[in-house]
């Protein structure tokens, strides 16, 4: 069965500092991987996705993620965070049939001045 | 293009009642998936509908049901509400015809069961 692990429940980062959120997956076939962000009281917004090809994926809001098959990881990065990046971030793997996403537990990001 | 819309946004019910939540997908999208989000269990898949047929189902009791209409709008019903059903219910739509379709989420319906 597929699973997604986000080891960090909570991360605090200073504004302007870099951010890296970890995601490890377990999936029997080629994974379809996603990062979503959720602001308080809101739904999920897609940041980026990986299906195949280039293992470094660029997303919206200056985020990027790198797929590493050997490590079963899909870590999210941003070089310089802004206060508006404070939110909860979810990694997800697309399971077959493809209408189902398996989510990690999420990482809460707090940005300090 | 308008995004995924969900109504109502907030709902308060009492135990034993039933509730119906509505989701209107992005125009042209034929697949609608439903998820339950709680602090304890996180985001869990409920079911997916495509062209009015349930295509996939998560591990939830039969009290949770859904349907999809010919215009792709979907409703989710929860009968005999329990306190543990209090959650944010998220709907997501996608084209539904390809393996790489992205799911786009609505703002959710916050259900509180008293």
């Amino acid at each position: 069965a597929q699973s997604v692990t986000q080891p960090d429940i909570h991360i605090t980062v200073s504004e302007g500092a870099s951010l890296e959120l970890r995601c490890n997956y377990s999936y029997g076939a080629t994974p379809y991987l996603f990062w979503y962000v959720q602001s308080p009281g809101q739904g999920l917004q897609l940041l980026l996705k990986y299906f195949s090809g280039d293992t470094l994926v660029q997303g919206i809001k200056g985020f990027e993620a790198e797929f590493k098959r050997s490590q079963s990881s899909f870590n999210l990065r941003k070089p310089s965070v802004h206060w508006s990046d404070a939110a909860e971030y979810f990694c997800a793997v697309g399971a077959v049939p493809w209408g189902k996403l398996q989510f990690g537990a999420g990482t809460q990001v707090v940005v300090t001045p | 293009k308008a995004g995924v819309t969900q109504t109502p946004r907030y709902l308060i019910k009492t135990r034993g009642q039933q509730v119906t939540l509505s989701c209107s997908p992005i125009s042209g999208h034929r697949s609608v998936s439903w998820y339950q989000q709680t602090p304890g269990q996180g985001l869990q898949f409920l079911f997916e509908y495509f062209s009015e047929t349930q295509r996939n189902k998560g591990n939830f009791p039969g009290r949770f049901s859904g349907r999809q209409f010919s215009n792709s709008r979907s409703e989710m019903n929860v009968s005999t509400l329990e306190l543990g059903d209090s959650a944010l219910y998220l709907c997501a739509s996608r084209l539904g015809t390809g393996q790489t379709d992205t799911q786009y989420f609505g703002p959710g319906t916050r259900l509180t069961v008293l």
Side-chain angles (χ1 to χ4, degrees):
Chain A
Q2 64 275 356
S3 66
V4 180
T5 302
Q6 293 182 246
D8 305 304
I9 296 173
H10 188 275
I11 283 181
T12 299
V13 61
S14 299
E15 191 167 15
S18 64
L19 174 69
E20 181 167 14
L21 304 181
R22 296 182 291 164
C23 172
N24 293 99
Y25 67 89
S26 171
Y27 192 64
T30 301
Y32 299 95
L33 296 160
F34 306 82
W35 275 100
Y36 284 88
V37 61
Q38 185 177 37
S39 298
Q42 303 295 314
L44 300 173
Q45 181 183 23
L46 179 70
L47 287 175
L48 46 78
K49 59 190 178 185
Y50 172 78
F51 293 143
S52 64
D54 194 350
T55 56
L56 186 62
V57 181
Q58 300 298 319
I60 63 170
K61 302 185 179 186
F63 285 93
E64 66 177 25
E66 186 171 14
F67 171 64
K68 293 185 177 179
R69 186 185 299 275
S70 61
Q71 299 177 19
S72 297
S73 69
F74 188 58
N75 294 348
L76 182 71
R77 299 192 294 254
K78 185 168 184 178
S80 176
V81 298
H82 186 261
W83 62 266
S84 60
D85 294 323
E88 190 156 21
Y89 292 78
F90 293 92
C91 180
V93 62
V96 176
W98 309 293
K100 174 182 178 180
L101 290 177
Q102 182 80 36
F103 285 90
T107 298
Q108 185 71 47
V109 173
V110 173
V111 180
T112 59
Chain B
K1 223 181 218 187
V4 178
T5 57
Q6 292 186 246
T7 57
R9 292 292 311 277
Y10 302 91
L11 210 47
I12 299 175
K13 293 287 187 179
T14 56
R15 277 180 300 174
Q17 287 187 311
Q18 76 165 19
V19 67
T20 299
L21 312 181
S22 181
C23 172
S24 292
I26 292 171
S27 177
H29 285 192
R30 294 164 61 189
S31 166
V32 173
S33 296
W34 290 88
Y35 294 83
Q36 181 196 64
Q37 185 177 24
T38 60
Q41 299 298 317
L43 280 154
Q44 293 185 288
F45 172 79
L46 280 155
F47 30 65
E48 182 208 9
Y49 285 86
F50 177 80
S51 291
E52 302 178 65
T53 301
Q54 188 180 87
R55 195 158 65 170
N56 196 8
K57 190 177 190 303
N59 189 26
F60 278 82
R63 300 186 297 108
F64 292 82
S65 64
R67 60 177 176 168
Q68 188 179 35
F69 302 95
S70 58
N71 62 357
S72 294
R73 190 177 69 85
S74 177
E75 288 182 347
M76 190 192 101
N77 184 273
V78 188
S79 62
T80 320
L81 284 166
E82 300 176 0
L83 295 178
D85 297 332
S86 294
L88 180 67
Y89 289 89
L90 293 164
C91 159
S93 80
R94 64 191 190 100
L95 285 169
T97 56
Q99 200 168 356
T100 59
D101 293 345
T102 297
Q103 290 192 30
Y104 296 92
F105 284 81
T109 294
R110 172 74 62 185
L111 172 64
T112 302
V113 182
L114 302 176

